[in-house]
């Protein structure tokens, strides 16, 4: 079974631009979570989607948004990019949402660099 | 808010030796799960081991085992017979109810040949 895939793997953008990252979960997985990883802040939760509905949202500004499609694929968008948005963005999928099925499988990440 | 603390930013171990990585967490919940994730230089996060809070028995996965002390809110990872491929960042993480995973800051493990 194919793992979680993320596209693109690397991205360079300029301040003020916007970016869209994509995540395809493992087949059959319906929950997708997004995390931002930086050397200073570590791994921080962005949001989680299940059945096309946002179930949880982390403490990030409104410039960060996401959505999930009917096939469980998810996208996250960052508008008006700032230098501090440079990070590794990780996507993780799991079968269901909530404590009952708890194992999350991570993708390889998208390295975003904002110049 | 739930927090996860990894007090050792860096650790090193000789090949074939045993190393223990520490993790403490803070929660008022009684039902939760704890995890150790490994992130090698390739950056793909891999689940190493998980522990259900309601289980008293410590989880083991081959060379990896945990020491789960619920009352002390401690969840350490022991790696036996360390191998060069064990070199990575190790993250302790916690989840409860419908809240997302909360990660510690990580411990960078080096394995010396």
């Amino acid at each position: 079974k194919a793992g979680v895939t993320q596209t693109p793997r690397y991205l360079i953008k300029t301040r003020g631009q916007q970016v869209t990252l994509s995540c395809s979960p493992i087949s059959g997985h319906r929950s997708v979570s997004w995390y931002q990883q930086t050397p200073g802040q570590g791994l921080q939760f962005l949001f989680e989607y299940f059945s096309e509905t946002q179930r949880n949202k982390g403490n990030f500004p409104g410039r960060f948004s996401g959505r999930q499609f009917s096939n469980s694929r998810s996208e996250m968008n960052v508008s008006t990019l700032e230098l501090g948005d440079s990070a590794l963005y990780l996507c993780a999928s799991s079968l269901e949402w909530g404590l009952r099925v708890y194992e999350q499988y991570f993708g390889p990440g998208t390295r975003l660099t904002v110049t | 808010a739930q927090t996860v603390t990894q007090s050792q930013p860096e650790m090193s171990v000789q090949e074939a030796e045993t190393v223990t990585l520490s993790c403490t967490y803070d929660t008022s919940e009684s039902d939760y799960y704890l995890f150790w994730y490994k992130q090698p230089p390739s950056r793909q996060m891999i689940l190493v081991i998980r522990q259900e809070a309601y289980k008293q028995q410590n989880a083991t996965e081959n060379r990896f085992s945990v020491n789960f002390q619920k009352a002390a809110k401690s969840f350490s990872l022991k790696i036996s017979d360390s191998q060069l491929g064990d070199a990575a960042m190790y993250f302790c993480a916690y989840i409860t109810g419908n809240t997302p995973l909360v990660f510690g800051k990580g411990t960078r493990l080096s394995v010396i040949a």
Side-chain angles (χ1 to χ4, degrees):
Chain A
K1 188 182 274 190
V4 179
T5 58
Q6 293 187 245
T7 56
R9 293 292 309 278
Y10 302 92
L11 206 49
I12 300 175
K13 290 286 188 180
T14 304
R15 273 180 300 176
Q17 288 186 314
Q18 74 165 18
V19 67
T20 298
L21 312 181
S22 180
C23 171
S24 292
I26 292 171
S27 178
H29 284 197
R30 299 198 293 161
S31 178
V32 173
S33 299
W34 288 89
Y35 300 86
Q36 181 196 65
Q37 186 176 21
T38 60
Q41 298 298 317
L43 280 151
Q44 292 186 287
F45 170 75
L46 280 157
F47 21 67
E48 179 178 19
Y49 288 88
F50 176 74
S51 292
E52 302 177 66
T53 301
Q54 188 179 88
R55 300 291 177 167
N56 275 308
K57 188 177 191 304
N59 188 25
F60 278 81
R63 300 185 296 107
F64 292 80
S65 62
R67 59 177 175 170
Q68 186 181 33
F69 302 95
S70 58
N71 62 358
S72 295
R73 189 178 69 85
S74 177
E75 289 181 347
M76 66 162 282
N77 183 276
V78 188
S79 62
T80 319
L81 283 165
E82 300 177 359
L83 294 178
D85 297 333
S86 294
L88 180 68
Y89 289 88
L90 293 169
C91 165
S93 77
S94 60
L95 272 172
E96 297 285 345
W97 167 70
L99 193 59
R100 290 176 294 111
V101 185
Y102 41 79
E103 192 160 323
Q104 293 193 13
Y105 296 84
F106 283 80
T110 294
R111 167 68 67 184
L112 172 65
T113 302
V114 182
T115 62
Chain B
Q2 294 89 5
T3 58
V4 177
T5 302
Q6 294 179 249
S7 58
Q8 306 149 316
E10 295 185 359
M11 293 277 288
S12 62
V13 62
Q14 293 281 347
E15 202 175 2
E17 296 295 310
T18 295
V19 65
T20 299
L21 309 184
S22 301
C23 172
T24 58
Y25 57 94
D26 183 25
T27 183
S28 57
E29 302 287 338
S30 59
D31 192 13
Y32 51 88
Y33 292 84
L34 296 160
F35 308 89
W36 279 97
Y37 279 91
K38 170 186 177 181
Q39 189 178 40
S42 67
R43 298 195 181 102
Q44 184 96 32
M45 193 84 75
I46 303 164
L47 178 65
V48 174
I49 200 166
R50 66 172 179 260
Q51 174 80 43
E52 294 90 337
Y54 65 87
K55 288 187 177 179
Q56 292 185 332
Q57 186 174 4
N58 289 326
T60 62
E61 286 288 341
N62 301 313
R63 298 182 296 107
F64 298 87
S65 62
V66 299
N67 183 5
F68 173 48
Q69 301 290 327
K70 190 172 184 178
K73 297 180 183 176
S74 171
F75 182 61
S76 60
L77 175 69
K78 186 172 81 171
I79 306 174
S80 304
D81 185 26
S82 296
Q83 301 174 0
L84 293 177
D86 295 333
M89 282 290 289
Y90 286 82
F91 294 94
C92 179
Y94 157 101
I95 194 169
T96 184
N98 296 322
T99 62
L101 271 174
V102 176
F103 287 91
K105 293 289 190 183
T107 296
R108 183 177 302 280
L109 178 65
S110 301
V111 181
I112 304 165

